[in-house]
Amino acid sequence: MFNHSEQKIEYRKSIEELWQRYSETIYKLCVVRCNSAEEAKDLFQTVALKFCENVKQLSDREDMLPWLISVMRHTHLDLRTEKKRTLCMSGYQGCYSEYASFCEEESMFYECRPASELLYAMEKTLERVTPLERMLVEMKFYGGFSVRELSNIFGLSENAVRKRRFAALRKMKRMMEEWFEPTKMAQ
């Protein structure tokens, strides 16, 4: 039993000597790779842990430095990608950019919740246009159909679809102006 613990101590000393042989070089390389001393220490500790985990497989090698450099390089890349992936939002400190290339109101599926009066006025104006014009307006602006698709659906030319939709919108605009004009004068 005494002999067994002595062997463990000898084994640990040999591993420690082996690590001491390469540790200074690895630490210098970590400092060169990293932006700060703290990052370099973290990288160095990670390489040391990987060395300890794989020491049994490495004992057959004459020179471990290439393996350690490779581990250090890959660990550094892993840490950098992880850092980019888990960047905290608080790290921006108010310096942020717009996520969309255009504002939300210009997007295709933006829903502005209009006042109930406006909804009522829209429904009344849609009742006063012809059924074809109503369908063209609803399918274009509510359904998101393109002019070409509407042309294929109704069997009209694209130009006829545009003209009828424009005429419907012009009628609706006039009706909306009439609807809201008295309220503006009352104020």
Side-chain angles (χ1 to χ4, degrees):
M1 193 85 166
F2 180 77
N3 194 15
H4 183 65
S5 63
E6 242 182 61
Q7 287 176 346
K8 280 186 175 181
I9 293 171
E10 288 289 324
Y11 180 71
R12 287 182 183 167
K13 282 184 181 179
S14 66
I15 291 173
E16 200 172 308
E17 288 172 4
L18 195 60
W19 176 248
Q20 290 298 327
R21 188 180 330 159
Y22 300 110
S23 63
E24 189 177 336
T25 308
I26 294 298
Y27 185 73
K28 286 178 183 178
L29 290 171
C30 288
V31 169
V32 169
R33 283 224 178 236
C34 297
N35 296 332
S36 67
E38 187 176 311
E39 282 182 36
K41 287 178 184 176
D42 288 343
L43 180 60
F44 180 73
Q45 285 180 344
T46 308
V47 172
L49 286 172
K50 292 196 182 210
F51 169 78
C52 291
E53 289 172 355
N54 297 302
V55 75
K56 288 183 181 177
Q57 291 91 1
L58 296 171
S59 60
D60 297 339
R61 292 179 181 236
E62 288 181 26
D63 188 19
M64 287 186 213
L65 190 60
W67 183 87
L68 289 169
I69 291 172
S70 176
V71 167
M72 188 238 357
R73 186 174 353 113
H74 290 109
T75 305
H76 175 69
L77 291 173
D78 290 344
L79 290 174
R80 290 194 81 174
T81 55
E82 182 180 329
K83 192 174 196 177
K84 285 181 182 179
R85 191 177 323 123
T86 58
L87 184 63
C88 298
M89 293 301 285
S90 61
Y92 287 110
Q93 299 173 354
C95 180
Y96 57 90
S97 62
E98 187 73 26
Y99 287 115
S101 58
F102 53 87
C103 64
E104 185 179 358
E105 289 82 16
E106 294 174 356
S107 67
M108 181 181 220
F109 299 105
Y110 175 72
E111 273 190 49
C112 178
R113 306 266 184 217
S116 58
E117 294 176 357
L118 186 58
L119 282 173
Y120 182 74
M122 288 290 291
E123 281 300 317
K124 288 298 177 189
T125 57
L126 280 171
E127 289 173 3
R128 292 189 180 174
V129 295
T130 65
L132 177 61
E133 292 171 338
R134 180 182 176 131
M135 284 193 299
L136 288 172
V137 169
E138 286 180 343
M139 291 177 80
K140 174 65 180 167
F141 296 106
Y142 296 131
F145 288 91
S146 69
V147 173
R148 177 171 285 155
E149 291 170 331
L150 292 172
S151 171
N152 291 335
I153 291 169
F154 292 108
L156 300 170
S157 68
E158 291 179 22
N159 195 30
V161 169
R162 284 189 197 96
K163 284 183 179 181
R164 289 185 186 219
R165 191 185 67 220
F166 179 74
L169 291 173
R170 194 173 32 189
K171 285 182 201 174
M172 290 173 64
K173 183 178 179 183
R174 271 189 266 132
M175 287 183 242
M176 291 289 274
E177 288 171 354
E178 291 172 10
W179 182 272
F180 286 106
E181 182 110 357
T183 56
K184 288 181 183 176
M185 290 183 183
Q187 294 174 353

